[in-house]
Amino acid sequence: MDMTNEEFEKLVKQYAKPSTVKKNLCWAFCVGGGICALGQGLSLLYQRLGSSQEDAGTWVTITLIFLSALLTGLNVYDDLAKRAGAGTLIPVTGFANSIVSPAMEFKTEGFISGMAAKMFTIAGPVLVFGIGSSVVYGLILCLMRA
C-alpha cells in the first residue's frame, strides 16, 4: 500500500486519541502529593510517639515501602499507577513497586526460580548504576579533598 506523507498524517490524526496531558499532570500531582502528605503525616505520628525526627524519617520510609509492596501484591498499586503515572513512580513507593511487580508476575514458577530470581529484573540496573555512580562520586570527592 503506497501512501504519501500527507495521507499518512491524515490517517494518524484520524485514529489517534486526543492528548490528555493536563489530566495526567493533575493526577500525577495529586497522587504524588498525596503520597508525600501521607509520609509527612506518618512522620508527625512517629515523632509524637517518641521517635526523633531522623528516626521518624527512617520509619516513614520503611512504612511507605511496606505499604507499596503490600498494595502491589494486592493488585491495587498498579491500578493507581495506571492513572497517576509519574506520581507513583517518583517516590520510594515506585521503587518498591518495581521490585515486587516482577516477583508477583513470576510467582507461578516457584519461590526460588520465579519470585526470587525475577525480583530485581527491573530494579537491578537501577541499583547497579546507583551504587556505581555513588562510588565514583565518593572517589572524586576524596580526590578533591586530598
Side-chain angles (χ1 to χ4, degrees), residues 56-123:
T58 302
W59 283 111
V60 167
T61 303
I62 292 168
T63 304
L64 289 177
I65 289 171
F66 171 76
L67 289 174
S68 173
L70 178 66
L71 293 176
T72 299
L74 297 173
N75 291 324
V76 173
Y77 197 90
D78 291 334
D79 292 336
L80 181 64
K82 284 178 189 175
R83 288 186 151 243
T88 57
L89 296 177
I90 302 301
V92 69
T93 55
F95 184 70
N97 175 262
S98 71
I99 291 176
V100 176
S101 289
M104 295 303 296
E105 186 177 338
F106 291 98
K107 68 181 178 185
T108 57
E109 294 181 21
F111 184 73
I112 300 297
S113 62
M115 285 178 52
K118 302 295 183 179
M119 188 176 292
F120 294 103
T121 55
I122 294 174

Side-chain angles (χ1 to χ4, degrees), residues 5 9 22 25 33 43 55 61 90 132 134 136 141:
N5 286 341
E9 285 181 31
K22 290 179 184 176
L25 285 172
S43 178
D55 289 343
T61 303
I90 302 301
S134 68
V136 169
L141 190 61

Side-chain angles (χ1 to χ4, degrees), residues 133-146:
S133 63
S134 68
V135 168
V136 169
Y137 177 76
L139 290 173
I140 292 170
L141 190 61
C142 284
L143 291 173
M144 290 176 67
R145 287 186 181 173

